[in-house]
Amino acid sequence: MVQLLDGKAMALQIKDEIANEVRNLTAQGHRAPHLAAVIVGEDGASKTYVANKEKASHEVGFTSSVYRMPESTTEEQLLETIAFLNNDPDIDGFIVQLPLPKHINEQNIINAISPDKDVDGFTPINIGRMVLGEECFVPATPMGICTLLKRYNIETAGKHCVVLGRSNIVGTPAANLLSRKGFDCTVTMCHSKTKNLKELCLQADILVVAIGKAEFVTADMVKDGAVLVDVGIHRVEDATKKNGYRVIGDVKHSEVDAKCSWVTPVPGGVGPLTIVSLLENTLKAYKRR
Ligand code: GUN
């Protein structure tokens, strides 16, 4: 029988833990942690993500601010905003929501973020520290995946973990973290040039799918009893829904789930843990200061 890695329930529990800690801090006369977000342009999904991050911040007692900048913002203007956020003592951590408009060099922007306020864990300093196993901010989505596996006591040591996707935000850090001490998986990372993708997936005890293609993973690619983590988030039109769409993942759950021992649902799996991980990083940034 397949069991759910219930990210929604776990996120509620962890938010409760964070809220308690914030209550204790403010009861002692300390100010609340502050998370800021920068959003450039009008991307609908990005607006939703930032709104969800702001809502979650308030739920745990953080203060927050959102810097909304137009699509026409130049790289120089965005760098000025980042310099301001780096230097504002009232801001513990901030994120720049990706993707950015095409005319802005994303890496130049990330490189300008102070590593001490980089609660997304995207700067070279934090990525480097993560790879070395040093104290750092870990990117929120892979951190969420790790939290799910740890708190559900999923056995990982010596298991073959196949990661589909090599993005800087998910695949690359997830593959690194799961191979390191504490998880001790044998990791295979697959991407668009991988040959025998299906054969490799079939060898996976733990399959982490972050390939960005709706319902890409089908039942013929998954071993019986596998642990399946679906990072995908895609909106598809659905006239039966009030908002006109529903959310699906990178895995065809209708046929794959029955083969698995554990599976993250979409929605309600990795997504809620991603936001909670950002809150955890922000609390850590606050405590460091
Ligand atoms: N775009 C998609 N995921 C993320 C994320 O975790 N952080 C930021 N800043 N942008 C994103």
Side-chain angles (χ1 to χ4, degrees), residues 47 68 170 202 227 270:
K47 281 185 183 174
R68 294 183 182 84
V170 187
L202 276 168
V227 175
V270 175

Side-chain angles (χ1 to χ4, degrees), residues 110-275:
I110 291 169
N111 291 348
I113 299 171
S114 162
D116 296 332
K117 293 193 177 185
D118 170 31
V119 286
D120 255 336
F122 289 174
T123 59
I125 293 282
N126 277 311
I127 301 277
R129 286 180 183 153
M130 180 195 71
V131 170
L132 295 171
E134 290 183 7
E135 164 64 23
C136 67
F137 294 116
V138 171
T141 301
M143 182 170 160
I145 295 169
C146 291
T147 302
L148 265 175
L149 296 175
K150 268 267 177 290
R151 289 205 178 206
Y152 271 99
N153 291 314
I154 303 294
E155 217 183 300
T156 55
K159 300 289 182 186
H160 187 195
C161 175
V162 175
V163 178
L164 292 195
R166 59 176 163 184
S167 71
N168 290 347
I169 295 182
V170 187
T172 295
N176 176 260
L177 291 166
L178 292 168
S179 72
R180 295 195 62 85
K181 279 209 174 72
F183 288 97
D184 302 294
C185 291
T186 303
V187 175
T188 301
M189 194 201 271
C190 299
H191 47 75
S192 53
K193 297 286 194 296
T194 298
K195 291 178 177 146
N196 310 326
L197 185 84
K198 181 178 151 182
E199 285 69 26
L200 288 166
C201 288
L202 276 168
Q203 292 172 24
D205 303 309
I206 302 169
L207 184 59
V208 177
V209 191
I211 203 163
K213 292 182 183 164
E215 298 190 333
F216 177 84
V217 170
T218 45
D220 58 328
M221 298 166 76
V222 178
K223 178 163 89 171
D224 279 327
V227 175
L228 187 110
V229 177
D230 184 355
V231 183
I233 300 178
H234 311 273
R235 288 180 184 188
V236 289
E237 278 184 33
D238 186 340
T240 70
K241 301 280 180 205
K242 234 193 312 189
N243 50 14
Y245 69 88
R246 77 194 142 88
V247 175
I248 61 171
D250 285 354
V251 174
K252 198 162 187 182
H253 287 272
S254 57
E255 62 178 50
V256 172
D257 288 9
K259 298 187 85 175
C260 301
S261 55
W262 292 92
V263 68
T264 60
V266 176
V270 175
L273 262 297
T274 295
I275 293 190

Side-chain angles (χ1 to χ4, degrees), residues 73-122:
T73 301
T74 65
E75 197 169 304
E76 288 67 35
Q77 286 168 328
L78 185 51
L79 287 169
E80 279 169 24
T81 301
I82 287 170
F84 168 80
L85 297 171
N86 282 340
N87 291 313
D88 186 337
D90 294 333
I91 291 173
D92 299 296
F94 67 94
I95 64 152
V96 178
Q97 187 65 31
L98 306 179
L100 290 169
K102 294 275 177 287
H103 62 274
I104 297 176
N105 181 315
E106 226 158 69
Q107 200 57 48
N108 285 348
I109 299 303
I110 291 169
N111 291 348
I113 299 171
S114 162
D116 296 332
K117 293 193 177 185
D118 170 31
V119 286
D120 255 336
F122 289 174

